[in-house]
Amino acid sequence: MEGSSVAGSQDGQIASPRRAPSQQRSRERVERMLAAASALIAEQGSDAMRMGEVAERAGVSIGSLYQFFADKRAIIWALAERYTAESQACIAAALAQVSDAEGLRRAFSELVDIYYGLFLAEPVMRDIWSGTQADKALRELELADSRANAEFLTAVLKRLRPAADPATLETTALLIWQMGEATMRLAISVGRKEGDDLVAAYKRIALRELLDQQAGPCNVG
């Protein structure tokens, strides 16, 4: 039996997703809806996107669209969750085998470059996260994402410095990751040259702090 995958919004919040579509046909239909929404956001931005346009481009009835997504914000939430899951998988894989300071430097630098490249290349991702601060539900999703990614980074730091205070490592990792999110948002809001410089500066600052963990206590001040 088919069921809705995302509940509607209430009091400015997006409710937790309901049961995902169980039938292959339903899953394919949802994929078409999300693909259509992505294309429309890429063309005109999420603010201008309308539910009727999504249904028309996906080749489904408006009633079918509303069966799975109660409103536009629910579609944006689903896309944001997808990008978050994909990025977490990439980060986990990149950091899993890091065993020394040079490995950390290389893996972290590559991840920052990949993440920045995605923001530049993916208008949908850029649009969604540019509007994060105006949407409480997306802010909460971003924070949860930062915490999850910081746990991957903390695991590396604990491997490299097993005698260090775990709470200090956790705080440092979370702050560095959250600063990275803010840097990306700033970098895509300015010209390309300035954005590149901002990301390069962030990498220098973050790596200096992370690699200082190898030599002694963290200095965040």
Side-chain angles (χ1 to χ4, degrees):
M1 181 175 179
E2 299 176 2
S4 297
S5 61
V6 182
S9 54
Q10 182 178 7
D11 298 329
Q13 305 256 346
I14 297 178
S16 300
R18 294 199 289 267
R19 180 168 58 85
S22 58
Q23 295 183 2
Q24 179 65 25
R25 185 176 62 179
S26 298
R27 290 193 293 269
E28 291 172 354
R29 190 180 305 162
V30 169
E31 286 300 316
R32 293 204 309 273
M33 294 171 186
L34 292 177
S38 293
L40 287 166
I41 292 172
E43 292 170 7
Q44 60 191 31
S46 59
D47 287 344
M49 183 180 72
R50 298 292 179 264
M51 294 291 279
E53 294 176 310
V54 176
E56 181 179 0
R57 182 163 299 199
V60 301
S61 69
I62 190 68
S64 180
L65 177 64
Y66 277 113
Q67 180 183 10
F68 292 97
F69 301 102
D71 55 25
K72 181 173 69 173
R73 292 178 69 240
I75 294 176
I76 294 172
W77 172 267
L79 291 171
E81 280 195 315
R82 175 167 295 187
Y83 281 118
T84 295
E86 291 173 353
S87 68
Q88 284 184 14
C90 176
I91 291 162
L95 296 178
Q97 303 304 318
V98 172
S99 59
D100 56 32
E102 181 55 34
L104 175 57
R105 181 193 299 275
R106 182 171 57 253
F108 186 83
S109 295
E110 290 175 355
L111 282 171
V112 173
D113 290 341
I114 290 171
Y115 204 53
Y116 182 40
L118 285 173
F119 268 91
L120 292 173
E122 291 285 348
V124 179
M125 184 176 182
R126 188 165 62 246
D127 182 284
I128 290 172
W129 294 117
S130 293
T132 297
Q133 297 308 304
D135 190 305
K136 185 175 185 295
L138 287 179
R139 287 201 309 272
E140 292 174 350
L141 179 62
E142 182 189 55
L143 178 57
D145 182 44
S146 290
R147 290 189 185 280
N149 292 330
E151 288 180 6
F152 302 138
L153 187 55
T154 299
V156 174
L157 296 177
K158 287 179 177 179
R159 288 200 299 272
L160 301 186
R161 292 193 66 223
D165 175 36
T168 298
L169 300 182
E170 291 165 4
T171 299
T172 299
L174 177 58
L175 181 58
I176 286 174
W177 217 275
Q178 190 63 34
M179 286 174 58
E181 299 281 0
T183 299
M184 296 302 162
R185 190 176 295 109
L186 177 60
I188 61 175
S189 69
V190 299
R192 178 61 186 271
K193 174 62 167 61
E194 187 177 6
D196 291 352
D197 291 343
L198 287 166
V199 172
Y202 165 71
K203 282 204 293 187
R204 289 195 301 272
I205 294 168
L207 284 169
R208 183 166 60 241
E209 185 62 44
L210 288 171
L211 296 176
D212 276 351
Q213 296 287 338
Q214 313 310 306
C218 169
N219 294 312
V220 179

